[in-house]
Amino acid sequence: MMSLEFAIELIKSTLPRDCVLTDPSATAPFETDGLTAYRRRPPVVALPRDTNDVRQVLRICHETGIPVVTRGAGTGLSGGALPHEKGVLLVLSKMNRILSIDEEGCTATVQPGVTNLSISQAVADMGLYYAPDPSSQIACSIGGNVAENAGGVHCLKYGLTLHNVLGLKVQTIEGDELVLGGDGYESSGVELIPLFVGSEGMLGVVTEITVKLLPTPPCKEVLLGAFNELESAGECVAAIIARGIVPAGLEMMDALAIQAAEDYVHAGYPRDASTILICEVDGTAEQVRSDADLIGELMVAHGADNIRSATEPEERDRLWQGRKAAFPAVGRISPDYYCMDGTIPRRYLSKVLTSIATLAEKHGLRVANVFHAGDGNLHPLILYDASDDEQLDRAERLGVEILELCVSVGGTVTGEHGVGVEKLDPMCSQFSAPELEQFFRLKEVFDASGLMNPGKAIPTLAHCSEVKGMHVHGGELPFPELDRF
Amino acid sequence: MTRSFDDAQRLIDSVNYAVAHTKQLSILGQGTKAHYARSTQGDALQTRDHVGVIEYRPDELTISVRAGTPLTEIKNVLNEHDQMLACDPPEFLGGGTIGGAVACGLSGPGRPWYGNLRDAVLGIEIVNGLGECLRFGGSVMKNVAGFDVSRLMVGSLGIFGLILSVNLRVHPKPELERTIKIDLQWDDAWRIHGDAISKPSAVSATCYWSGSLYLRLSGNRASVDETRMSYPDGAEFENELWKSVRDHDHPFFHRREKLRRTWLGRGAHPELTDARNQLVEWAGAQVWSHSASTDSFAADANDASEPFDRRSANPETESKYVKRLRRAFDPHLLFNSDLRL
Ligand SMILES: Cc1cc2nc3c(=O)[nH]c(=O)nc-3n(C[C@H](O)[C@H](O)[C@H](O)COP(=O)(O)OP(=O)(O)OC[C@H]3O[C@@H](n4cnc5c(N)ncnc54)[C@H](O)[C@@H]3O)c2cc1C
């Protein structure tokens, strides 16, 4: 490895002055992403203007053996864009142009730094939109969405980022440009898009994305049902799906979240409810009418009182308002919160939520739940005070136990926020040693020198052996081949 | 009840035997897609006895099945709960296994509206070329832990490993399905194709052949009726059409030799010159042709065209990354070694 200073000089001589930051006051804003418990000052921040700049920086990193961490908007919640202390932080925010829109074919081709919401805004006049809508959509970049396979409220019906990406251009650290997919539905050869979507910047830098646009549904209706029992709300979710309805969104909030949201935005949610379900259906007028009627009946059948519904945009927004403001609302009632992201089979919703409450009590912490109930993606928010090391420690332990609980019922440690640096430990309980080794062999295919976002997303076997409480996976002792690492 | 038998251990043993004796393996289900992709190298590794539904959860919209399970059986099981595999993979010669369907990744006529098998795969269990049994993904809707190996397997023609089982997302069946036939010029049909993807409607499949456009409408009665009214010139037609197109039983496919498919950008407007020898699906995004007419429509540079028969794929076209990927899963190149992606 050549010196980092030498690499920085090379980058400075290649990119314009205002595209390279080394001054600590200028690099400070980049020391953390949305997972603020982790901070690291990047020695150098490169802000490429175009694909060619990206290629130059990657070439320099490859030649000098310096690690590179790609960053979009830095809203990630798992520390994926946490800088490397001896590496380059490649920030794509200047690459924020929509390159083309094909109204007839319903596609848009964009640079990675374009924000998620701005795509939908740009095509709204054409009666189109881009479906995946993470709550961070005003800020997060589409490149970051691809790297995390981001989801959102409407993913139950319209799929995740993966299902809405048709084509990618990816730059590898070896200097190749991979053109994957295109603007059609299929293409010849092996389909590598799934490998790059959700790869957390470990395989290459995504420099161009072609997304699928959908026609804006002519009608929408939002229903809000309040339940006295968590169990009956959980059963109602299962019943809606089992009746053959796939709502556009199906969200759940628990009592603590409802109260925090009410105190903050006064959306008119029933304060005395133990749980509320918010459900949106969309489509043609007839389809919406019949789906909404059936959902209303199912809510009543499961004991909901106080059902509200809205068809007009302002009323609908009002019903969504509390849900959309839930994270900041919870932020107001606690100095800090830690957002988990496990996904479980829907039928275990009430069982897992009850167990989470028990675990929280054991650790003496409060947990608020606001989440994508329709696809079983939980977001328990653990409330704690980061200025108290002991509390942070307890919060982290509770977090790990919650994720292990999710895995134990057949779920996963992360539904949409990614592994990053945050979930390396629970990854050790979800995957066996040969599976983790297979992941590393895959990484080597595109990044033989191991310079792309090293140390993230996939734990090494050595890391897993350090994690306390060795986990048994598939009936075998997990790491029989430890001496290799 | 469907047949259920766990043949995994024998399959894993066979792979380990091949590793130990440097033998090659040709993975084989029912052989119904032999004309598409079938390895002729090495000993046959039969998945046909590894069958059965491991778990079906209609309330979760998920099904988990062993690779050798016949597609028809899976469809029957789902049908009992008014559910379906939305991507509707072809059943050539009336059959095929789910493992073969995943390895080939072919989609039915509803592709633009219902997605493909890749979209439906939630998790997979494979045996790699080291004889290791590995699981990726799971049975939940959202899962971003680790690289998405399960979806990478879809369409990979078995070159990365043997698929043992798959977890799939299933969909509720539409309440109603009907088909209409409209006789029109290609340019007018093309315009309707555009509407079918850019405007909300009940259209869920299209097919243009020999001067007629066929539309499948699905949804609840009201929405199907609403869309039906926008096509007053349409005549009722049998729903069976879609199965015949999907399974290549339609008269267009009777000539099997030199069959090509071309994928076009969603907004492309190709010129069709030989309406009987070209069949257009997927709202214009997939064009089938017999080789005599291959060049008779102007496809632009972005369009991909290839012979349907993958056995003739040129080994030179495999990129260095695909070669490395293959080695990353299967260092001794045991599996389907003569097939190329
Ligand atoms: C309040 C809030 C709400 C949120 N709600 C949701 C939600 O509902 N659903 C959801 O899924 N997520 C949500 N998130 C998480 C986050 O917004 C998403 O993960 C988003 O996709 C990250 O995009 P970004 O541009 O900020 O990426 P960054 O944080 O900058 O980077 C994320 C990862 O992607 C990599 N990366 C970024 N760009 C590229 C590229 N062009 N090429 C290769 N790798 C790249 C980085 O290396 C890093 O590993 C939320 C976050 C916040 C703060």
Side-chain angles (χ1 to χ4, degrees):
Chain A
M1 194 203 281
M2 285 184 234
S3 83
L4 176 61
E5 287 66 38
F6 180 61
I8 295 177
E9 284 318 307
L10 284 177
I11 293 173
K12 281 186 168 164
S13 66
T14 310
L15 262 54
R17 254 178 112 183
D18 62 331
C19 295
V20 188
L21 314 175
T22 48
D23 190 88
S25 63
T27 58
F30 300 99
E31 65 180 18
T32 180
D33 62 3
L35 183 72
T36 50
Y38 293 78
R39 286 171 194 276
R40 228 179 250 159
R41 190 65 65 84
V44 56
V45 173
L47 294 145
R49 297 157 301 172
D50 54 24
T51 300
N52 190 43
D53 284 355
V54 171
R55 293 171 63 88
Q56 297 294 343
V57 174
L58 289 180
R59 181 182 53 76
I60 292 167
C61 290
H62 193 229
E63 284 170 7
T64 56
I66 300 294
V68 55
V69 176
T70 311
R71 176 182 167 114
T75 67
L77 290 173
S78 54
L82 181 73
H84 190 282
E85 68 268 327
K86 295 200 177 66
V88 176
L89 187 70
L90 186 70
V91 180
L92 300 179
S93 53
K94 280 191 201 282
M95 292 175 65
N96 62 354
R97 279 191 308 124
I98 293 180
L99 299 172
S100 62
I101 294 169
D102 176 355
E103 186 174 353
E104 230 137 41
C106 300
T107 64
T109 298
V110 303
Q111 289 186 322
V114 165
T115 61
N116 171 297
L117 185 62
S118 60
I119 301 177
S120 289
Q121 285 170 340
V123 299
D125 286 350
M126 306 167 188
L128 299 171
Y129 75 113
Y130 174 64
D133 55 346
S135 314
S136 51
Q137 69 180 152
I138 346 171
C140 65
S141 74
I142 187 77
N145 291 173
V146 169
E148 300 285 10
N149 192 15
V153 165
H154 290 96
C155 288
L156 179 59
K157 181 165 178 183
Y158 297 107
L160 306 165
T161 304
L162 175 84
H163 303 106
N164 291 278
V165 165
L166 295 169
L168 292 179
K169 283 190 183 159
V170 180
Q171 312 303 320
T172 69
I173 187 109
E174 281 175 42
D176 293 303
E177 176 173 80
L178 306 180
V179 181
L180 310 177
D183 58 356
Y185 291 102
E186 308 278 329
S187 51
S188 323
V190 66
E191 172 67 276
L192 292 178
I193 289 179
L195 201 51
F196 282 89
V197 174
S199 65
E200 303 196 24
M202 303 268 288
L203 305 178
V205 179
V206 176
T207 51
E208 207 176 289
I209 302 123
T210 300
V211 297
K212 181 164 92 178
L213 304 171
L214 296 181
T216 316
C219 291
K220 291 184 184 178
E221 181 161 345
V222 179
L223 288 103
L224 185 147
F227 297 80
N228 292 324
E229 306 282 346
L230 169 69
E231 284 77 15
S232 30
E235 280 158 19
C236 186
V237 170
I240 291 171
I241 305 288
R243 283 299 288 271
I245 304 174
V246 181
L250 184 50
E251 302 282 303
M252 197 189 268
M253 289 171 72
D254 72 2
L256 188 52
I258 297 168
Q259 278 149 28
E262 265 312 289
D263 290 342
Y264 184 36
V265 291
H266 314 291
Y269 290 178
R271 280 177 177 278
D272 52 347
S274 96
T275 312
I276 58 172
L277 279 184
I278 307 174
C279 184
E280 180 171 300
V281 286
D282 66 13
T284 58
E286 288 74 16
Q287 192 90 52
V288 167
R289 191 65 272 125
S290 66
D291 286 354
D293 286 348
L294 186 52
I295 290 167
E297 283 164 26
L298 289 170
M299 284 181 167
V300 171
H302 287 85
D305 44 23
N306 207 339
I307 294 174
R308 290 164 57 193
S309 79
T311 50
E312 294 309 309
E314 305 86 69
E315 282 177 74
R316 288 197 317 250
D317 288 349
R318 202 169 136 73
L319 288 188
W320 272 121
Q321 196 184 19
R323 165 64 182 94
K324 295 224 160 128
F327 282 31
V330 169
R332 288 169 77 241
I333 60 169
S334 169
D336 298 278
Y337 67 82
Y338 183 30
C339 176
M340 313 306 301
D341 176 42
T343 303
I344 55 165
R346 275 178 290 254
R347 64 185 178 279
Y348 295 120
L349 272 180
S350 53
K351 183 178 163 209
V352 167
L353 291 174
T354 311
S355 304
I356 289 176
T358 313
L359 289 173
E361 203 169 314
K362 184 181 93 183
H363 288 280
L365 293 167
R366 289 189 300 166
V367 173
N369 285 290
V370 198
F371 61 96
H372 312 301
D375 35 37
N377 186 194
L378 306 178
H379 287 323
L381 305 175
I382 303 174
L383 312 191
Y384 72 104
D385 181 351
S387 65
D388 177 350
D389 281 351
E390 191 268 331
Q391 265 199 43
L392 172 62
D393 197 47
R394 265 192 286 149
E396 285 191 331
R397 264 183 292 140
L398 172 56
V400 169
E401 286 176 25
I402 290 176
L403 295 185
E404 283 171 354
L405 176 66
C406 295
V407 175
S408 74
V409 297
T412 176
V413 299
T414 174
E416 58 181 18
H417 295 164
V419 173
V421 288
E422 183 209 12
K423 297 182 203 82
L424 289 172
D425 292 5
M427 282 288 282
C428 301
S429 51
Q430 190 165 334
F431 292 99
S432 69
E435 287 158 359
L436 294 172
E437 284 184 291
Q438 183 66 69
F439 285 144
F440 279 112
R441 284 198 301 275
L442 277 180
K443 177 162 169 59
E444 273 171 32
V445 167
F446 298 95
D447 177 27
S449 46
L451 296 174
M452 300 293 305
N453 214 4
K456 310 271 180 69
I458 316 288
T460 60
L461 296 190
H463 178 99
C464 288
S465 74
E466 279 167 24
V467 175
K468 290 216 176 69
M470 298 257 286
H471 304 284
V472 177
H473 186 92
E476 294 162 18
L477 211 76
F479 314 113
E481 297 143 318
L482 269 183
D483 50 348
R484 287 205 213 166
F485 276 75
Chain B
M1 265 314 275
T2 59
R3 198 161 69 92
S4 184
F5 183 76
D6 186 343
D7 199 24
Q9 198 52 55
R10 184 190 65 84
L11 291 166
I12 296 169
D13 291 346
S14 306
V15 174
N16 280 316
Y17 182 85
V19 177
H21 298 83
T22 54
K23 284 195 173 294
Q24 293 186 316
L25 295 168
S26 153
I27 306 173
L28 187 63
Q30 291 179 356
T32 60
K33 288 184 270 289
H35 62 295
Y36 173 65
R38 157 97 177 259
S39 166
T40 53
Q41 296 286 300
D43 304 343
L45 186 60
Q46 278 277 1
T47 65
R48 259 193 297 197
D49 292 325
H50 188 53
V51 292
V53 173
I54 302 167
E55 188 178 33
Y56 172 33
R57 303 281 329 189
D59 56 338
E60 299 277 352
L61 303 177
T62 58
I63 191 166
S64 169
V65 287
R66 298 199 180 95
T69 315
L71 273 175
T72 40
E73 262 183 52
I74 297 173
K75 291 183 183 179
N76 287 341
V77 168
L78 296 175
N79 205 24
E80 282 168 25
H81 289 266
D82 287 323
Q83 295 184 339
M84 62 176 189
L85 286 180
C87 53
D88 198 17
E91 293 169 46
F92 296 143
L93 309 171
T97 63
I98 185 69
V102 171
C104 291
L106 300 172
S107 305
R111 168 73 184 88
W113 301 273
Y114 290 140
N116 59 6
L117 253 180
R118 186 174 304 117
D119 295 329
V121 166
L122 298 172
I124 209 156
E125 184 187 14
I126 62 165
V127 183
N128 67 8
L130 296 169
E132 296 169 329
C133 181
L134 311 174
R135 285 193 193 94
F136 300 100
S139 56
V140 290
M141 297 294 147
K142 291 164 89 175
N143 188 350
V144 293
F147 299 128
D148 195 349
V149 176
S150 39
R151 292 192 175 100
L152 180 67
M153 291 294 147
V154 182
S156 67
L157 304 182
I159 67 167
F160 298 142
L162 168 72
I163 298 167
L164 280 183
S165 67
V166 272
N167 302 337
L168 298 163
R169 176 179 181 162
V170 301
H171 283 78
K173 267 174 61 172
E175 193 180 304
L176 187 72
E177 216 158 64
R178 64 200 274 195
T179 302
I180 54 174
K181 174 183 182 215
I182 316 167
D183 294 326
L184 25 134
Q185 297 295 313
W186 166 241
D187 284 347
D188 297 320
W190 179 81
R191 218 155 289 127
I192 293 178
H193 280 154
D195 289 349
I197 51 168
S198 65
K199 302 214 172 78
S201 77
V203 174
S204 70
T206 72
C207 170
Y208 183 79
W209 181 64
S210 202
S212 300
L213 174 69
Y214 303 84
L215 300 176
R216 182 175 69 192
L217 313 180
S218 349
N220 67 12
R221 181 166 297 279
S223 63
V224 167
D225 288 348
E226 187 181 277
T227 305
R228 176 71 180 90
M229 282 189 310
S230 345
Y231 301 106
D233 298 340
E236 297 294 315
F237 204 79
E238 303 97 58
N239 284 334
E240 277 298 295
L241 169 81
W242 305 106
K243 187 166 151 36
S244 77
V245 171
R246 181 195 73 188
D247 298 345
H248 292 190
D249 290 332
H250 184 275
F252 168 82
F253 292 99
H254 286 172
R255 260 177 62 207
R256 289 219 169 199
E257 79 285 7
K258 312 256 161 89
L259 187 62
R260 280 186 90 80
R261 44 183 187 161
T262 301
W263 296 295
L264 298 109
R266 304 208 307 168
H269 188 171
E271 264 180 54
L272 284 202
T273 48
D274 185 1
R276 272 196 79 75
N277 279 309
Q278 293 166 325
L279 184 145
V280 187
E281 281 191 283
W282 301 0
Q286 174 161 275
V287 182
W288 293 94
S289 55
H290 296 293
S291 75
S293 58
T294 309
D295 305 317
S296 56
F297 61 89
D300 79 47
N302 287 330
D303 302 333
S305 175
E306 64 176 35
F308 181 61
D309 185 348
R310 296 294 296 269
R311 295 169 304 176
S312 55
N314 178 358
E316 303 305 313
T317 58
E318 198 172 78
S319 79
K320 77 174 176 199
Y321 290 104
V322 172
K323 286 199 177 80
R324 287 186 202 165
L325 259 181
R326 203 171 179 149
R327 294 251 176 210
F329 282 103
D330 180 16
H332 314 299
L333 302 186
L334 302 180
F335 299 115
N336 293 359
S337 58
D338 53 336
L339 293 182
R340 294 281 172 271
L341 280 173

